[in-house]
Amino acid sequence: MENQKSKIGVYICHCGGNISDYVDIEKVKNLIAREEGVHLVNNMMFTCSDSAQVDIVNDIKENNLDGMVVASCSPKLHLLTFRDVAKRAGLNQYNYIHANIREQCSWAHSDKTELATDKAVRIIRAAISKVRLSETLEQIEIPAINTAVVVGAGVSGMRSAIELADQGTNVYLIEKDHFVGGRVSQWGKLFPTEEPGENLVERLYHKVKERENITLFTGAEIKAVNGSVGNFELDVHITPRYINGMCDEAIQDQVLKACHAEVDDEFNFGLTKRKAIYKNYPNAYPETPVVDMDLCDKCGECLKICDGRITLDQKEENISIKAGAILLNTGFDPYEPKEGEYGYKQVDNVITLQQFKRLIESNGDKLVYNGKKIRDIAYIYCVGSRDAKGENKHCSRYCCTSAIHTAVDAKTKFKNIRNYHVTRGIRTYGKQETLFTDSSRQGDTYFQFFEGAMPTVENENGKALIKVKDALTQNEDIEFTADLVVLVTGMVARKDENLVNIFKVPVGSDKFYNEIHNKLRPVETVIEGLFIAGGCQSPKNIRATMASTLAASAKANSLIQSGMIALEPIVAKVNPELCEWCGACDDLCTYNAFEKVEYEGKTVAKVNEAMCKGCGACTPVCPTNAIDVVSLSDTEIETMIDSFVRDVEFATTTTEEKADSFAEVVDFEKQVRVLPELSQRILDSLETEPKAIPDIAKELGVAADDVLYHLMSLRKYGMIKDTDEINEDEYYLYELKK
C-alpha cells in the first residue's frame, strides 16, 4: 500500500435541493472537516456544473491535493465526470472516490432529516478512509483485433455489419438459418413505408455482399467462445447447403415437385408444408436453395433432375474465428399461445397475428382459410402480454400498430372485410397514431376489456363466437361471431440457452438480454466487448431496432479500431506465495477470469485482467486468503466499515441555526418547516409582482446564486411558481403560488 493521502479535498453537493433539503449540509461540512487527511471541504450547489468543475480543478492545483471525495448523486451518473476532473487537475483518477448521499441517503430518508444527515456523514467518512488508502493506478492496456463478429443476420445484424464495415472494421456475419432477413422477411408490408419486408431484406443483403470486409456465414452456429475483449476466439459449426450453385428456375421447380419429403413450414408458421429441398420464399437470400438433411431420405430423385448441382455427401465444417468485439443481434420470437388460450388449437379458425400476415401474403385476391372465405375478422389484443400474474408482464409496443396496420392492409386488399378489434387500450404511439385514424375511418369496430374480465372464444357452427364485457359501453356484455380470430401476440425472448451459456450474457427476469444501464449504457453488457442490439434486448419495432443497432456498432468500433483497449485496473489479484490452487475461485468465477500457471514449482491461480470485472466474488472462497481486489483490499474495506460505524457527534444547535439550512424542527408530536430569513425576504419581494432571479438579487442586495438556491427550494415546496413569461433579458419570471 502506498503512503496514505494527507491532503484530501471533499466536495459536498446540494444537488439543487435534492440533497440539501433533507441533509444539513453545514453540519456535514463542519464534521467532515475534522477527519484525518482532510485539507479542505467545499459545499456546491451543483458539483457537476461546468463552473464547479473548474473550481475543483483549481483547488486541486492550488492546494496540491493528493485525494478527492465528491459527495453527490449516484456514481452511475457522474463517476466518469469527476474522474475527468481529476485528470485535468493532474490528480490520478483513482485517487478520487465518489460518495452517494442522494440515492442512498437524502432520497431514501427524506422523512427523517436528522438521520439522513447522520448517514451522510458516515458515507462521506467511509469514502475519505478509502481515498486515504487509495493507490495511484493506471488503466490496463491490451491489444485489440480490429474485427467484429455479428451474430444474427436479420435486418439488425446486416445493418450492424454494414456500419462496422464502412468504419473500416472487418466483420464476420453469422446466421444460424440458411437464409438472411430474420422476422422482417416474414412480415409482408411494413408501416409506414408500405414496403414489403423482403424488399428491405434484399436491399440490405446486396449492401452486405458489396463490402469486401464482410464475410457472411449461413447455416452457422457458434459452439464455443474463448479469450476476452480485444481477442475473442469463436468456434463455429457450419452446415452446408448440399447444393453447389443454382439450377435454372424451371429445373428448381421440377426438383421441388420430385421431392416427396414434407414438414410443416416454419417460415409460414405451420400454415403450409415445405419440402426437404426448400427456400424460405421465392426471393430469399442467398439465392441457392438448401437441403434439410434431417428430413431428406436420400431417395435420389432430385439428383436425376439436377445432376452435379446437388451433392448430398458434403461435409459439415468447423472453423475458428478471431475478433476484438462481438455484437448479438439474435432477435426475438413471437409469443406462442398455449393450447386453449382464446380457443387456440381447439377452435379451427383461431390463428396468430404472424400466421395471419403470412396468410395475407399467400392469398391472391380472395382471403381464404381452411377452404372457407373469410369476411368477419376479430383481433384479440395483448395475448400473452401485459400479464400481471404471468411470465410476460411487458408490453411489446409494436403489436397494436402491427395489428391495426394488418387490418387496414387486409381490408384494402380484400375489400369486403369487416374488422373487430378487442383491445385492452390501443397503444399506437407517436406518428403511428395515424393508423388508428385510418382504421376508424374505414369502419373498423373497437371494443375494450380489462384484465379482470377477459374475453372468451367458443366454437359455434363453424364460426368463432366472441364474448366480451365492453368497457366502452359501460361494461355491456357483447357477443358476435367471426370467420377468423387473430390473436395479437407480442415479442418474447428467443429460447437459446446455448448462446446464454456460451457468452455468459446476463438475462433479465423477462428473459431478454440485459444491458448495463438502460439509459446510460443501453447497448453494453457486463462482458467487456460484448454488445447487444435489437429484439434480443427488448421488444422493439424496426426503427428502435436500428437506433440500438447503430449505437452498438459505434460502441464496438470505437472500442477496437485503435488496436488498443484501456480497461479498468480494479481487478482481482492473486498472491502466488499464498495460493495452493484448489480451483474454488475458478469454479465460482462467472467470467472465466482464472487460469492455472506454474510458480516456483507449484500450480497457482492467475487472473486474466482482460476478463476480470473486479466483482470480488472470488475473495471469500479462497481458503488461504490469497486473493484481493485492487483498491478494495481487506484493509481498505475494514477501514471504511470502521469509519462508517463510528458515532457521529453533533453539536447542539438552536432553532434559528437549523432554519438557516432548511433543516426540520422536531417537536415529537409534529414536524414544522421553518423558513430561512432569505427565503422569507424573497417571498416578500414577490408579493408585488413577478420577478426574475437577477432582479430579486439586485433588490435584496445578495448574490444571484443564493437567490437561485432558496428560490428552487421554495418552488419545490409549492410556495412559488414560474410564469409563462420571460423578461427582456430572457430570464424566467417567478411569482407567488396562490
Side-chain angles (χ1 to χ4, degrees):
M1 190 70 66
E2 298 179 1
N3 294 332
Q4 292 191 15
K5 306 297 180 290
S6 58
K7 298 189 73 175
I8 300 169
V10 180
Y11 300 90
I12 306 171
C13 187
H14 288 246
C15 201
N18 279 298
I19 295 172
S20 58
D21 284 350
Y22 311 104
V23 173
D24 191 327
I25 299 295
E26 281 302 315
K27 275 188 177 180
V28 174
K29 176 181 177 180
N30 293 334
L31 287 167
I32 291 303
R34 307 172 193 168
E35 290 296 304
E36 179 186 351
V38 173
H39 184 74
L40 63 85
V41 183
N42 281 340
N43 296 347
M44 294 179 161
M45 179 63 69
F46 295 104
T47 52
C48 60
S49 67
D50 290 346
S51 59
Q53 291 181 46
V54 170
D55 289 342
I56 296 172
V57 169
N58 291 335
D59 279 350
I60 294 171
K61 290 180 177 179
E62 292 170 7
N63 295 276
N64 197 26
L65 300 182
D66 56 9
M68 176 176 76
V69 171
V70 176
S72 61
C73 55
S74 169
K76 283 187 175 180
L77 287 172
H78 288 304
L79 180 74
L80 298 180
T81 300
F82 295 111
R83 279 187 177 179
D84 187 55
V85 168
K87 286 190 286 186
R88 296 204 309 264
L91 179 69
N92 184 271
Q93 62 180 314
Y94 297 101
N95 292 146
Y96 139 69
I97 300 298
H98 201 97
N100 184 353
I101 61 169
R102 189 179 73 177
E103 283 82 350
Q104 294 180 357
C105 194
S106 65
W107 282 1
H109 310 292
S110 58
D111 57 333
K112 298 177 180 178
T113 57
E114 292 193 2
L115 291 178
T117 302
D118 178 278
K119 187 177 179 183
V121 172
R122 295 173 185 270
I123 290 172
I124 298 170
R125 283 194 320 206
I128 292 168
S129 296
K130 188 175 191 309
V131 81
R132 199 164 58 237
L133 299 175
S134 64
E135 301 175 60
T136 299
L137 304 173
E138 297 300 330
Q139 290 186 314
I140 301 165
E141 286 198 342
I142 60 171
I145 303 168
N146 190 21
T147 299
V149 167
V150 177
V151 185
V155 294
S156 174
M158 287 193 287
R159 190 68 185 86
S160 286
I162 294 164
E163 186 70 16
L164 285 162
D166 288 349
Q167 294 178 82
T169 297
N170 297 315
V171 183
Y172 292 107
L173 180 56
I174 298 176
E175 172 55 49
K176 189 175 181 179
D177 195 359
H178 285 280
F179 302 95
V180 302
R183 296 296 178 197
V184 170
S185 61
Q186 298 173 290
W187 274 181
K189 288 184 180 179
L190 305 173
F191 180 80
T193 62
E194 299 301 320
E195 177 185 25
E198 59 187 65
N199 287 12
L200 178 58
V201 170
E202 179 181 10
R203 194 159 66 249
L204 288 171
Y205 174 77
H206 286 307
K207 287 185 177 182
V208 166
K209 298 302 290 181
E210 288 168 4
R211 285 153 175 81
E212 294 182 357
N213 53 344
I214 300 178
T215 303
L216 171 64
F217 294 105
T218 58
E221 189 172 0
I222 297 170
K223 293 297 185 181
V225 177
N226 297 299
S228 56
V229 58
N231 189 23
F232 291 107
E233 187 170 349
L234 296 85
D235 296 333
V236 182
H237 179 78
I238 300 176
T239 303
R241 307 181 86 82
Y242 301 102
I243 297 179
N244 293 320
M246 286 281 293
C247 300
D248 63 52
E249 273 191 44
I251 295 178
Q252 278 190 61
D253 290 341
Q254 293 178 40
V255 168
L256 289 173
K257 289 177 182 177
C259 181
H260 59 269
E262 286 188 335
V263 69
D264 287 341
D265 189 351
E266 305 95 328
F267 185 81
N268 285 330
F269 300 103
L271 286 176
T272 59
K273 300 285 187 182
R274 70 160 172 82
K275 300 295 184 70
I277 300 178
Y278 71 98
K279 290 180 72 174
N280 280 347
Y281 57 96
N283 296 324
Y285 291 94
E287 297 92 332
T288 306
V290 64
V291 179
D292 181 352
M293 291 304 293
D294 291 333
L295 181 61
C296 177
D297 57 10
K298 297 187 178 179
C299 66
E301 293 299 319
C302 58
L303 298 176
K304 297 175 183 176
I305 301 170
C306 196
D307 187 33
R309 297 288 189 180
I310 301 175
T311 53
L312 302 181
D313 58 351
Q314 284 184 7
K315 302 297 181 186
E316 297 180 358
E317 187 180 0
N318 293 300
I319 63 172
S320 180
I321 292 173
K322 289 189 175 182
I326 300 170
L327 285 75
L328 297 183
N329 300 69
T330 52
F332 68 94
D333 282 329
Y335 172 75
E336 174 75 12
K338 299 178 179 66
E339 185 170 347
E341 189 172 3
Y342 297 113
Y344 186 65
K345 292 187 176 179
Q346 291 182 353
V347 177
D348 288 342
N349 44 355
V350 175
I351 62 175
T352 62
L353 177 62
Q354 56 268 20
Q355 288 176 313
F356 185 51
K357 282 178 171 289
R358 296 308 305 160
L359 188 67
I360 291 175
E361 292 300 307
S362 60
N363 274 242
D365 57 356
K366 293 182 180 179
L367 183 58
V368 176
Y369 180 69
N370 281 346
K372 297 180 180 178
K373 187 176 179 181
I374 302 300
R375 180 170 182 179
D376 296 323
I377 306 171
Y379 304 84
I380 299 180
Y381 286 59
C382 298
V383 177
S385 296
R386 300 173 63 196
D387 187 354
K389 297 180 181 178
E391 291 184 2
N392 304 319
K393 297 176 175 60
H394 58 268
C395 166
S396 291
R397 300 182 74 213
Y398 94 109
C399 331
C400 289
T401 302
S402 184
I404 295 175
H405 180 249
T406 305
V408 171
D409 186 31
K411 192 156 188 173
T412 301
K413 183 175 181 179
F414 303 113
K415 307 305 179 188
N416 295 321
I417 295 294
R418 288 193 290 248
N419 293 315
Y420 301 91
H421 302 263
V422 183
T423 83
R424 286 179 60 189
I426 296 298
R427 295 184 173 184
T428 50
Y429 60 94
K431 295 180 179 180
Q432 297 164 165
E433 187 68 13
T434 57
L435 264 179
F436 179 70
T437 303
D438 292 343
S439 170
S440 299
R441 285 175 176 168
Q442 74 176 12
D444 287 6
T445 303
Y446 283 83
F447 306 100
Q448 185 173 336
F449 66 94
F450 294 118
E451 188 173 6
M454 311 296 272
T456 61
V457 179
E458 301 171 7
N459 189 16
E460 185 178 86
N461 300 323
K463 289 195 172 188
L465 174 66
I466 297 94
K467 299 179 180 178
V468 58
K469 188 178 288 292
D470 180 30
L472 302 179
T473 54
Q474 297 183 330
N475 292 327
E476 182 177 343
D477 290 319
I478 305 289
E479 294 185 10
F480 65 95
T481 58
D483 302 310
L484 189 67
V485 175
V486 177
L487 304 184
V488 180
T489 57
M491 299 181 183
V492 296
R494 277 207 159 142
K495 294 178 181 177
D496 198 338
E497 294 182 3
N498 185 46
L499 278 183
V500 173
N501 294 331
I502 288 172
F503 288 108
K504 303 292 189 297
V505 57
V507 174
S509 58
D510 58 5
K511 306 297 189 299
F512 287 96
Y513 296 157
N514 256 10
E515 64 285 325
I516 291 177
H517 190 287
N518 62 1
K519 291 184 176 66
L520 304 178
R521 300 177 71 180
V523 295
E524 299 170 71
T525 71
V526 294
I527 311 298
E528 197 77 35
L530 180 67
F531 303 89
I532 54 177
C536 69
Q537 181 182 11
S538 65
K540 290 181 173 68
N541 60 18
I542 296 175
R543 185 172 182 173
T545 292
M546 289 301 165
S548 67
T549 292
L550 295 177
S553 302
K555 277 287 183 181
N557 178 261
S558 65
L559 179 70
I560 61 177
Q561 67 174 344
S562 69
M564 296 296 293
I565 298 174
L567 301 177
E568 282 287 284
I570 302 173
V571 295
K573 62 179 180 180
V574 178
N575 183 343
E577 301 290 342
L578 297 177
C579 180
E580 298 292 342
W581 182 261
C582 63
C585 55
D586 188 44
D587 292 339
L588 184 72
C589 183
T590 305
Y591 308 105
N592 297 325
F594 287 93
E595 55 187 83
K596 289 182 183 180
V597 296
E598 294 300 316
Y599 175 80
E600 294 185 356
K602 66 175 182 176
T603 302
V604 299
K606 182 182 177 183
V607 176
N608 181 337
E609 294 178 335
M611 299 184 73
C612 180
K613 297 299 166 189
C615 67
C618 53
T619 57
V621 302
C622 180
T624 60
N625 203 28
I627 306 175
D628 247 332
V629 177
V630 174
S631 88
L632 290 168
S633 65
D634 290 350
T635 302
E636 288 168 286
I637 292 173
E638 289 166 3
T639 304
M640 290 171 69
I641 293 171
D642 290 342
S643 298
F644 187 88
V645 301
R646 194 170 80 242
D647 288 340
V648 178
E649 297 180 4
F650 290 111
T652 304
T653 57
T654 64
T655 298
E656 289 76 15
E657 289 172 327
K658 288 184 177 182
D660 284 340
S661 61
F662 266 97
E664 290 183 344
V665 180
V666 182
D667 188 345
F668 294 104
E669 299 293 331
K670 61 182 179 178
Q671 294 182 336
V672 181
R673 185 168 294 281
V674 181
L675 287 177
E677 183 263 343
L678 180 55
S679 294
Q680 189 59 58
R681 290 175 63 196
I682 292 171
L683 292 175
D684 293 341
S685 173
L686 293 174
E687 282 282 357
T688 55
E689 61 179 341
K691 295 173 184 173
I693 290 174
D695 300 328
I696 299 171
K698 184 177 180 180
E699 177 184 328
L700 301 182
V702 297
D705 282 350
D706 292 336
V707 173
L708 170 64
Y709 167 58
H710 287 264
L711 197 68
M712 290 302 101
S713 293
L714 291 168
R715 185 173 179 266
K716 179 174 183 178
Y717 294 116
M719 303 177 77
I720 66 167
K721 65 178 182 178
D722 49 312
T723 69
D724 294 328
E725 301 176 9
I726 57 175
N727 66 12
E728 58 185 11
D729 295 321
E730 298 190 352
Y731 283 99
Y732 281 104
L733 298 177
Y734 295 88
E735 63 182 1
L736 296 179
K737 193 171 184 180
K738 305 299 184 183

